[in-house]
Amino acid sequence: MLQPLRAACCIFCMWGREREANSMYKRLLPRDHTNIVDVEDNSALVQNDQDPDAANPSWRLSFPHVLVATISSFLFGYHLGVVNEPLEIISLDLGFNGNTLAEGLVVSTCLGGALIGSLFSGWIADGVGRRRAFQLCALPMVIGASISATTTTLAGMLFGRFLVGMGMGVGPPVASLYVTEVSPPFVRGTYGSFIQIATCLGLMGALFIGIPVREIAGWWRICFWVSALPAGLLALAMGCCAESPHWLYKQGRSVEAEIEFQKLLGGAHVKLAMQELSKLDRGDDTDSVKLSELFFGRHGRVVFIGSTLFALQQLSGINAVFYFSSTVFKSAGVPSDQANVFVGIANLSGSIAAMVLMDKLGRKVLLLWSFFGMAVSMGFQVAGASSYMSGSVALYLSVGGMLIFISSLSINRDHEPTA
């Protein structure tokens, strides 16, 4: 949900930190490009009667580190949906039932905190390292969730949500950077998709855990307490994970970078990985980006297209679906617990489809089909709202259209071109 914030932060960081922006651009190579390199390398090995797999480091070495990093994305998705089902009960318990402004603030305050956190995520990651950045983002999530779980006032709930949002703003951007820097090139795109999958799983977890909220008094407090567990796990597990070799090399700690590469890639691949880092570092000294170039120069078209896609995605109304789907389905006569399960499944299925099809079809084709599916789903919902449709037909068109909309949007979410 923070795509517009990420886009704004990228523009700001490219202006203020020119060299780092260029190195980031080179490290975040499109998955299609890395696959081309792998194919070329493998073909050369086949000609020499060698095993193609021998050219690639084992993905198993870096997988645990990537898995820990995606906990931050899981928490991001969880806190997006944690107030979906319990919002009405929370408003009754805290005394603001019927106050739509207060309900909206409970939902959106975390995004205000995320704005603050995302603005500083780059400086935090570069200043203290990727591992410490993860641990710092987990701290406000634990404290904020605890405050929200124990509060008896609206002000306490808003303060807790704001703290959680600050962690949400720091975690996912650092996760994207960390996963790219610790992953072998041949699985970098797949590992990058894990971030979105983790977000979907977090959202599904929040929707599932909120189901008993109407039957068990005070269950909404448990929903917040539960989120403190993965946040604490993230902080502890990151202490055992490898630091980014890219960050260590930038700090002049080449020996430590080699040690971390050995953990992530294996000893046979350390020398080549260090050579690549050296090339990237030399390239940073030759390139620079000015702020004006982001709007009027060589990067203007890319910035315009990327920003427009982000804006159109958010203006589609997906935030309202994730935050208020329980209320919407309830007004349509559909049990909210069942509807939320289908929302989570639709969201996850679209993300998995994107992960599988990205390399086969390309990002542009996925975007076109995604927006086409969203347009068709809106047509279904308009037809369902028509007075010419009977009650049952209108219900199926409305609910089915919303689920198709969610699935279609999840195909392009976080897969927009970033070149």
Side-chain angles (χ1 to χ4, degrees):
M1 300 297 107
L2 287 177
Q3 286 91 340
L5 304 181
R6 294 176 189 169
C9 292
C10 287
I11 295 175
F12 185 76
C13 291
M14 287 181 72
W15 174 40
R17 298 162 58 245
E18 298 171 352
R19 292 178 59 188
E20 183 64 22
N22 279 277
S23 65
M24 185 84 65
Y25 171 81
K26 293 177 181 178
R27 289 198 297 268
L28 296 176
L29 291 174
R31 187 178 177 186
D32 298 331
H33 175 75
T34 58
N35 285 342
I36 293 173
V37 174
D38 293 338
V39 171
E40 292 175 350
D41 292 343
N42 290 345
S43 62
L45 288 170
V46 170
Q47 293 175 0
N48 294 330
D49 296 328
Q50 297 180 17
D51 183 8
D53 293 335
N56 294 324
S58 174
W59 59 268
R60 296 178 180 86
L61 295 175
S62 57
F63 180 74
H65 307 270
V66 171
L67 200 62
V68 172
T70 57
I71 295 177
S72 64
S73 298
F74 176 88
L75 286 165
F76 180 82
Y78 186 91
H79 285 291
L80 286 179
V82 70
V83 297
N84 187 313
E85 183 71 25
L87 183 59
E88 182 179 351
I89 306 300
I90 292 174
S91 65
L92 289 171
D93 288 354
L94 299 186
F96 59 90
N97 184 38
N99 187 338
T100 55
L101 175 60
E103 292 178 353
L105 287 174
V106 170
V107 168
S108 60
T109 300
C110 67
L111 296 183
L115 172 62
I116 304 299
S118 63
L119 290 176
F120 294 97
S121 61
W123 279 276
I124 293 174
D126 290 337
V128 301
R130 317 312 190 214
R131 291 195 307 171
R132 293 291 180 266
F134 279 117
Q135 292 172 330
L136 287 176
C137 88
L139 182 62
M141 286 189 173
V142 172
I143 297 175
S146 302
I147 293 175
S148 296
T150 57
T151 186
T152 57
T153 64
L154 173 61
M157 174 61 69
L158 296 180
F159 181 61
R161 293 284 286 167
F162 182 81
L163 289 179
V164 165
M166 292 185 67
M168 291 170 60
V170 174
V174 177
S176 299
L177 180 60
Y178 181 81
V179 168
T180 299
E181 293 177 341
V182 303
S183 303
F186 75 102
V187 292
R188 189 169 293 157
T190 301
Y191 280 176
S193 298
F194 286 177
I195 296 174
Q196 178 59 25
I197 298 296
T199 303
C200 295
L201 291 176
L203 180 61
M204 286 185 65
L207 296 177
F208 274 110
I209 203 170
I211 291 177
V213 72
R214 300 182 185 280
E215 285 75 31
I216 303 176
W219 183 258
W220 64 268
R221 298 185 185 275
I222 302 298
C223 296
F224 285 105
W225 277 123
V226 167
S227 67
L229 297 178
L233 177 62
L234 173 64
L236 294 175
M238 261 299 153
C240 303
C241 289
E243 180 56 270
S244 165
H246 295 259
W247 181 78
L248 291 171
Y249 188 84
K250 285 287 185 181
Q251 304 301 311
R253 298 156 63 178
S254 300
V255 175
E256 295 178 55
E258 292 181 5
I259 295 174
E260 300 298 348
F261 267 137
Q262 188 168 0
K263 295 179 183 177
L264 296 166
L265 306 178
H269 302 274
V270 171
K271 184 177 180 180
L272 179 60
M274 292 300 296
Q275 290 175 351
E276 291 297 324
L277 276 185
S278 179
K279 291 179 182 178
L280 290 173
D281 188 58
R282 288 197 300 269
D284 291 345
D285 295 331
T286 59
D287 297 329
S288 62
V289 177
K290 297 180 180 179
L291 178 63
S292 59
E293 293 180 359
L294 298 179
F295 302 99
F296 307 107
R298 52 180 176 168
H299 302 293
R301 183 170 178 268
V302 174
V303 171
F304 174 76
I305 293 175
S307 301
T308 302
L309 288 174
F310 284 132
L312 291 176
Q313 184 189 91
Q314 295 304 298
L315 290 173
S316 66
I318 188 62
N319 291 334
V321 174
F322 286 141
Y323 286 128
F324 300 105
S325 63
S326 296
T327 304
V328 172
F329 283 120
K330 184 179 178 181
S331 64
V334 180
S336 59
D337 53 351
Q338 298 179 17
N340 284 334
V341 170
F342 286 114
V343 167
I345 293 174
N347 189 36
L348 181 61
S349 62
S351 297
I352 294 176
M355 181 180 67
V356 174
L357 298 175
M358 188 190 307
D359 285 337
K360 297 180 180 179
L361 301 179
R363 290 167 174 79
K364 182 177 180 180
V365 174
L366 282 181
L367 283 170
L368 291 175
W369 278 104
S370 172
F371 284 119
F372 176 75
M374 292 165 63
V376 171
S377 69
M378 289 183 176
F380 287 160
Q381 294 182 64
V382 170
S386 172
S387 59
Y388 297 101
M389 296 293 176
S390 62
S392 59
V393 175
L395 177 62
Y396 285 122
L397 285 175
S398 299
V399 175
M402 180 176 290
L403 295 178
I404 295 174
F405 179 85
I406 294 170
S407 182
S408 299
L409 181 68
S410 64
I411 291 177
N412 76 52
R413 187 171 58 247
D414 287 351
H415 296 298
E416 290 90 345
T418 57

